[in-house]
């Protein structure tokens, strides 16, 4: 696992200065809570999500029904990436790279 990442999120305030890296075979979330390694084959879904506050303003709080997730940073307050895995004790991750769509 010494190869270079194909994408590395720049550290910034919304992401609480944490690192998010994408490799060919996995995504690594290097957070205050430790390092999470998610294999690409274990990813069920990945999408860009609006902030929880934006959903509340639109009356669509039900769309954020899966509140049980590892939120590595300010994900509830800004646009962020939502990643769901097929298996595991922790199946939902929310994190905020500098440009979530990228």
């Amino acid at each position: 696992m010494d190869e270079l990442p194909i994408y590395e999120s720049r550290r910034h305030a919304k992401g609480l200065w944490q690192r998010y890296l994408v490799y060919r075979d996995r995504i690594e979330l290097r957070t205050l809570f430790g390092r999470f390694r998610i294999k690409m084959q274990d990813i069920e879904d990945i999408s860009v999500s609006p902030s929880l506050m934006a959903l509340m303003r639109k009356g669509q709080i039900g769309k954020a029904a899966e509140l049980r997730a590892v939120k590595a940073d300010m994900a509830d307050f800004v646009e962020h990436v939502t990643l769901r895995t097929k298996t595991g004790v922790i199946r939902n991750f929310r994190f905020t790279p500098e440009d979530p769509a990228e």
Side-chain angles (χ1 to χ4, degrees):
M1 290 196 198
D2 291 333
E3 77 272 18
L4 294 173
I6 56 176
Y7 173 81
E8 182 174 344
S9 178
R10 201 174 66 112
R11 296 175 190 228
H12 60 94
K14 290 187 296 188
L16 297 179
W17 296 275
Q18 299 176 99
R19 293 177 66 196
Y20 311 115
L21 301 105
V22 177
Y23 294 88
R24 279 178 292 159
D25 63 337
R26 70 190 182 283
I27 293 176
E28 283 190 15
L29 309 175
R30 296 182 183 174
T31 74
L32 299 170
F33 310 109
R35 182 182 297 185
F36 295 93
R37 289 188 179 116
I38 304 159
K39 293 178 183 177
M40 291 297 187
Q41 70 232 29
D42 292 338
I43 296 174
E44 182 176 301
D45 185 52
I46 189 165
S47 61
V48 177
S49 301
S51 72
L52 187 60
M53 303 304 151
L55 291 174
M56 287 172 60
R57 280 193 298 269
K58 293 179 181 178
Q60 298 176 335
I61 195 65
K63 291 191 176 185
E66 185 56 70
L67 296 175
R68 292 178 306 150
V70 170
K71 298 173 200 159
D73 50 34
M74 304 295 285
D76 279 346
F77 304 103
V78 295
E79 183 180 63
H80 58 277
V81 173
T82 299
L83 185 149
R84 182 171 170 83
T85 62
K86 296 175 186 173
T87 61
V89 175
I90 301 172
R91 295 189 58 203
N92 297 290
F93 298 86
R94 294 183 185 168
F95 55 99
T96 310
E98 185 176 32
D99 181 358
E102 187 177 3

